[in-house]
Amino acid sequence: MDDRSKTPASSRLTATARQRPSSVTLQDVAREAGVSAATASRALNGSTRNVQSENVSRVLAAAARLGYVPHVSAQATAKGSIPTVALVVSDVADPYFASIAAGITDAAEANGLVVTMTVADRSPDREVQLVRTLRGQRPQIIIIAGSRIDDTDTRDALIDELRQYRAAGGRVVLISQPELPFPTVAIDNVDGARLLARELAGAGYRRLSIIHAPHRIRTSYDRYTGFVTGLEESGITMDENFAMETEFTRSGGYEAARELVERGLRQLELIFAVNDVMALGVMSALRDAGLVPGRDVAVAGFDDISSAVDVVPALTTVAVPLREAGLEAMRLALADDDSIPTVWIPTAVRLRESTPRMSGA
């Protein structure tokens, strides 16, 4: 038997590293010290605020044994010329992302960090390009907020970019569906839409329309399927002729509602749009057609953005604690933890004047 098989892995690695110091990686040091890569990175670059003193000693001793030489650019990424949080959002005009950004900014400022924001415009290719560019700017944290979009090519490219950034000492958190191998703050879109449908069915609504984005946008798809499930649980079969696909924007909601009106509402009782900005567009289209939202046709949305209570009638929706989602994302980013947790953010139905109870319900 080869004598090397009797030698502990750490000892074999140490011997190899002494022969070829340049081949030793940060992951090797972390493994030798028995800590996470993030902890090893902080200990080596001097950012020890969240590292226990005994772990610092173990990392430094492991680095010395292995002959580890930090890569200059990697160390710069870990330190960052300015402590920053790079936030990537899908749409800068959507109040959904403004609320998330508020939570992130509050938590970042409390920890001496500056937030910068870039917009992916719901383009998977642009999202990858932005992350690649951000890596070169050396932020301490990258947070990506927005729906995952079904696209396997860009998915693999994004994972690769983020893994390289994290290997250099950066922290990654997503506010999205838990589909990538990074810590994620996830909104319970399916159950929120399901409960909304059940509440509306209980209020007497039977003939409903769903205005949604293309199904490849996972947030829209999850809310669509959750709503349909809630209807089925209430004994209501969704008429596919009243399922309208459009852009995930206010103008998309407006155009879809206008098309519904032009086709003839045929005793349609309620329109559910999968986000509030689309629902506000629906209400505008109904008014332009001479109809009164909440009286002639009920309207519901999802997110509970601030303007949902300012419109007349106030919009029925599903409340998402978006600022708290931003705060939770920062908590995950600042934690000394290399695991891949998913934190679920609960939702709650808010029934308002835009969906009055049907007579006899």
Side-chain angles (χ1 to χ4, degrees):
M1 181 181 293
D2 190 335
D3 288 341
R4 289 179 302 170
S5 63
K6 302 177 183 178
T7 306
S10 61
S11 297
R12 296 201 305 270
L13 180 59
T14 301
T16 302
R18 283 171 179 160
Q19 294 172 8
R20 296 183 291 114
S22 62
S23 68
V24 181
T25 67
L26 177 65
Q27 286 73 20
D28 294 333
V29 175
R31 191 179 304 111
E32 178 83 0
V35 299
S36 69
T39 296
S41 175
R42 292 190 185 102
L44 290 167
N45 67 42
S47 177
T48 58
R49 181 171 55 86
N50 293 319
V51 183
Q52 296 179 359
S53 58
E54 61 267 29
N55 285 342
V56 174
S57 299
R58 289 165 61 186
V59 169
L60 295 178
R65 287 196 303 271
L66 298 176
Y68 175 70
V69 178
H71 190 281
V72 174
S73 62
Q75 194 175 57
T77 300
K79 291 182 177 180
S81 55
I82 300 177
T84 56
V85 179
L87 172 61
V88 181
V89 300
S90 295
D91 183 356
V92 72
D94 191 333
Y96 176 96
F97 296 106
S99 298
I100 288 174
I104 291 172
T105 300
D106 288 347
E109 289 179 351
N111 286 276
L113 301 171
V114 175
V115 178
T116 64
M117 186 166 67
T118 56
V119 183
D121 199 25
R122 294 197 171 89
S123 166
D125 288 328
R126 178 164 172 74
E127 190 175 64
V128 173
Q129 292 169 2
L130 286 172
V131 170
R132 186 175 296 129
T133 300
L134 288 170
R135 282 181 55 208
Q137 295 176 359
R138 307 193 303 270
Q140 182 174 328
I141 297 166
I142 293 178
I143 297 176
I144 301 178
S147 176
R148 302 308 331 135
I149 297 177
D150 291 336
D151 189 320
T152 55
D153 292 339
T154 57
R155 179 184 186 277
D156 293 342
L158 180 62
I159 290 173
D160 181 62
E161 290 290 337
L162 290 174
R163 278 179 171 161
Q164 290 187 57
Y165 165 75
R166 191 172 62 177
R171 302 294 292 174
V172 176
V173 177
L174 306 180
I175 304 177
S176 189
Q177 288 75 31
E179 297 178 354
L180 301 184
F182 305 99
T184 301
V185 177
I187 310 298
D188 198 349
N189 291 304
V190 174
D191 198 55
R194 182 183 70 84
L195 294 176
L196 175 63
R198 290 173 62 94
E199 291 276 5
L200 294 173
Y205 292 98
R206 295 294 180 269
R207 296 181 61 81
L208 305 95
S209 170
I210 303 178
I211 293 180
H212 61 90
H215 284 336
R216 70 190 189 96
I217 299 177
R218 283 298 309 278
T219 295
S220 175
Y221 178 73
D222 289 348
R223 294 175 181 182
Y224 174 91
T225 56
F227 195 80
V228 170
T229 298
L231 293 179
E232 291 174 347
E233 291 174 351
S234 304
I236 301 171
T237 300
M238 176 68 196
D239 185 347
E240 289 299 323
N241 291 320
F242 287 121
M244 308 287 292
E245 181 178 304
T246 186
E247 294 180 0
F248 206 27
T249 60
R250 185 183 187 282
S251 61
Y254 183 95
E255 293 301 326
R258 187 173 69 173
E259 183 178 339
L260 275 174
V261 171
E262 291 174 351
R263 282 168 36 184
L265 295 179
R266 292 180 288 173
Q267 298 182 327
L268 185 69
E269 297 168 345
L270 181 142
I271 300 172
F272 166 58
V274 296
N275 71 16
D276 284 351
V277 293
M278 296 174 78
L280 296 179
V282 168
M283 295 173 80
S284 292
L286 293 176
R287 291 192 190 93
D288 288 350
L291 301 171
V292 178
R295 187 190 71 185
D296 298 317
V297 183
V299 181
F302 199 116
D303 290 332
D304 201 22
I305 60 176
S306 58
S307 52
V309 295
D310 294 332
V311 294
V312 179
L315 180 65
T316 285
T317 186
V318 178
V320 180
L322 297 170
R323 180 179 176 277
E324 286 72 15
L327 291 170
E328 188 62 31
M330 280 298 299
R331 186 192 69 79
L332 289 177
L334 293 169
D336 186 21
D337 184 359
D338 249 13
S339 63
I340 308 175
T342 296
V343 176
W344 285 94
I345 300 295
T347 58
V349 175
R350 298 284 185 262
L351 296 178
R352 298 189 179 118
E353 291 83 356
S354 69
T355 57
R357 293 186 70 84
M358 300 287 287
S359 58

